Structure formats: C-alpha cells, structure tokens
Amino acid sequence: MAKTSRDAKRAQTAERIRAAARQQFGANGYEGTTIRSIAAAAGIDPSLVMQHFGSKAALFATAVQLPAVSDSGSERAAADHLLDVLGIRFDALPAETAALVRSMLTVPEATDTMRGYLDERVENLARSLDGDDARLRALMTVSGILGITITQHFLRLSAFEGASRDDLLRAARGWVESLTTEAGPPSPETDAC
C-alpha cells in the first residue's frame, strides 16, 4: 500500500510540474522559462523538476504534447469538426498550445512536435475528404487554422477586436465548407488570376 501511495504522490507531483511548465512556457516561451520558475509555480524545489524530467528540453517536449483528435468520417462531419476546432481557437488557448506555438520557430523540439502534430492533422482530415485534391485541401485548412491562431492570440490583429466568437464562426463557415467540399474544375476567371 505504501508503494502505491508513493507512486500516486510521484505521479501527482509530475502532473503539477507539467501543468506549471505549460503555464510558464505558454506565458514566457521556451527561452524565458527557467527550471526555477517552473518549480516556483508548482510549489516545489527545483531539484524535483530535474529528478522527474531530467532537463528543461525533456520537460518542454512532455508539457507541449497536444491531444490527438479522432477521424471525422465524412465531409459534413469534417466541416462540423473544423468549426468546433475554430470555436476553441477563438477562445483562450490551452497552455500547451500557447507554449508550443510561441516556441515553434525558435526551439527545435517545439518545431518537431508541431510539425508532427500538424502533419497528423493534415493526414487525418484528408482521409475524411473526397477528391483527388483532398490532401491539399486538408493542408490549406490546417495551415489556415494555424494562421488564425497566430493572428488572433499572438499578433492580436485589430480586426479581431469587437468580433464575437459567433460572428467569427459565422464568417468561417463558408471558408471551412469550401475547403472540405470537393472542388470542380477551375473557372476561366480563376485561371486568369
């Protein structure tokens, strides 16, 4: 019984460290976060952070893991799912997402994590779409959602000011549906552009 209690306490401490790391990395980025700041946020000694995770890089890799999303199943389900994702992105970002996006261009571990996650999202979405260009439409959709995340939460474009979540979702609906529906051949006007 004592071993289980010790294991449970160790697991709780590790989760407290991960939660504090997500918050710190999200707020300060990789470079601006220290083992000491994570330990202080978790209310523990810095040596425990190292004991549990070994290094700042290893803790970062663990803290910023994004959850997997299940397959959508159909174009309609894909569009609905993407609108749900956008709804979440229009709200405050989870700490692990903020940390990962903030660090993805400067920290190799973040770059690798984000690339792997987004590649998986593209492939998952492409499987739920019809047409020869399903993978390209999935790529454009995933890239667009990343762009929205960056412009709203990090660049804070002024166009987002005063726009409600419902207004943003209403505006996004046509875009998402156009990207998740198989396109016909391009019109002559489109070729001229």
Side-chain angles (χ1 to χ4, degrees):
M1 193 71 157
K3 182 166 176 32
T4 303
S5 294
R6 191 175 305 139
D7 289 345
K9 186 176 179 179
R10 183 169 171 74
Q12 288 173 344
T13 300
E15 187 48 44
R16 253 188 21 235
I17 293 168
R18 271 192 293 277
R22 284 185 202 106
Q23 186 276 324
Q24 290 291 306
F25 287 130
N28 306 314
Y30 184 83
E31 293 83 4
T33 298
T34 65
I35 294 295
R36 288 187 187 280
S37 69
I38 293 167
I44 60 170
D45 188 86
S47 65
L48 278 176
V49 175
M50 298 306 288
Q51 184 180 357
H52 279 270
F53 295 96
S55 70
K56 180 174 147 180
L59 175 55
F60 180 83
T62 300
V64 299
Q65 289 301 306
L66 299 172
V69 181
S70 62
D71 288 345
S72 301
S74 72
E75 288 184 353
R76 178 75 253 148
D80 290 343
H81 169 72
L82 291 168
L83 288 167
D84 288 344
V85 168
L86 280 169
I88 292 167
R89 289 297 179 258
F90 291 143
D91 293 334
L93 289 179
E96 62 272 20
T97 303
L100 189 56
V101 173
R102 184 178 305 282
S103 302
M104 71 183 179
L105 298 178
T106 59
V107 179
E109 294 85 358
T111 303
D112 293 343
T113 298
M114 184 60 102
R115 182 184 306 111
Y117 178 77
L118 294 177
D119 279 344
E120 187 274 330
R121 296 290 77 226
V122 168
E123 295 306 322
N124 186 44
L125 180 56
R127 284 191 302 273
S128 69
L129 302 177
D130 292 326
D132 294 338
D133 65 346
R135 191 165 187 263
L136 292 175
R137 288 184 288 126
L139 172 63
M140 294 296 105
T141 305
V142 169
S143 298
I145 291 172
L146 177 61
I148 288 168
T149 301
I150 292 168
T151 58
Q152 182 184 12
H153 296 286
F154 296 94
L155 297 177
R156 292 178 172 67
L157 293 186
S158 60
F160 284 103
E161 292 175 20
S164 73
R165 181 180 185 274
D166 289 341
D167 290 340
L168 292 168
L169 285 171
R170 195 172 16 266
R173 180 171 296 283
W175 171 67
V176 167
E177 289 176 353
S178 72
L179 286 170
T180 56
T181 304
E182 185 175 5
S187 67
E189 303 87 54
T190 305
D191 288 343
C193 293

